């Protein structure tokens, strides 16, 4: 192995050139990987946050529904409660899925289609 005072022979110079080329190419590749995984991580975090928001909200609604259900005294009360509960649950799930879709579109949106350097 040469020290800093000896000139490189042709094999060492070639190896140094190849390694510099590999490192230069890998820096750009690693930057792309970093951008892709960063977007993926943000997308997954947003997805999990939206799912937790939906589950938490619906859990609260379901607990309240148990209280209301126990106050029903007639079949008509039960029917009204059931219709209102189903309508509210459907609305909540539709809004939650809309938010999840929005997060997915943002994560995979136009920036992702162009690539990290586009």
């Amino acid at each position: 192995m040469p020290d800093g005072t000896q000139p490189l022979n042709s094999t060492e110079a070639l190896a140094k050139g190849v390694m510099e080329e590999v490192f230069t190419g890998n820096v750009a590749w690693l930057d792309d990987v970093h951008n892709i995984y960063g977007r993926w991580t943000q997308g997954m975090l947003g997805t999990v946050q939206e799912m937790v928001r939906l589950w938490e909200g619906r859990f609260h609604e379901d607990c309240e529904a148990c209280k209301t259900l126990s106050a029903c005294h007639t079949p008509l009360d039960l029917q009204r409660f059931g219709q209102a509960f189903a309508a509210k649950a459907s609305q909540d799930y539709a809004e939650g899925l809309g938010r999840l879709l929005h997060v997915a579109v943002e994560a995979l949106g136009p920036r992702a289609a162009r690539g990290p350097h586009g």
Side-chain angles (χ1 to χ4, degrees), residues 4-109:
T5 61
Q6 298 175 340
L8 297 175
N9 66 34
S10 62
T11 304
E12 291 169 334
L14 177 62
K16 181 180 177 193
V18 168
M19 291 309 294
E20 287 175 354
E21 183 66 29
V22 167
F23 288 137
T24 301
N26 279 339
V27 168
W29 178 78
L30 288 173
D31 187 42
D32 290 345
V33 168
H34 174 75
N35 288 329
I36 290 167
Y37 279 114
R39 289 179 58 90
W40 180 82
T41 302
Q42 287 176 339
M44 289 302 296
L45 178 61
T47 300
V48 169
Q49 287 173 332
E50 288 302 329
M51 290 172 69
V52 168
R53 181 193 309 185
L54 176 61
W55 290 334
E56 181 181 42
R58 286 306 314 156
F59 179 75
H60 175 73
E61 292 286 333
D62 292 347
C63 289
E64 292 300 314
C66 289
K67 293 177 190 173
T68 305
L69 183 61
S70 66
C72 292
H73 297 293
T74 67
L76 185 58
D77 289 344
L78 186 59
Q79 179 187 7
R80 287 181 183 150
F81 165 75
Q83 288 173 335
F85 178 80
K88 177 73 167 97
S90 296
Q91 179 183 354
D92 289 349
Y93 282 112
E95 290 172 0
L97 290 174
R99 288 190 305 267
L100 282 171
L101 181 59
H102 178 75
V103 168
V105 168
E106 286 293 313
L108 301 173

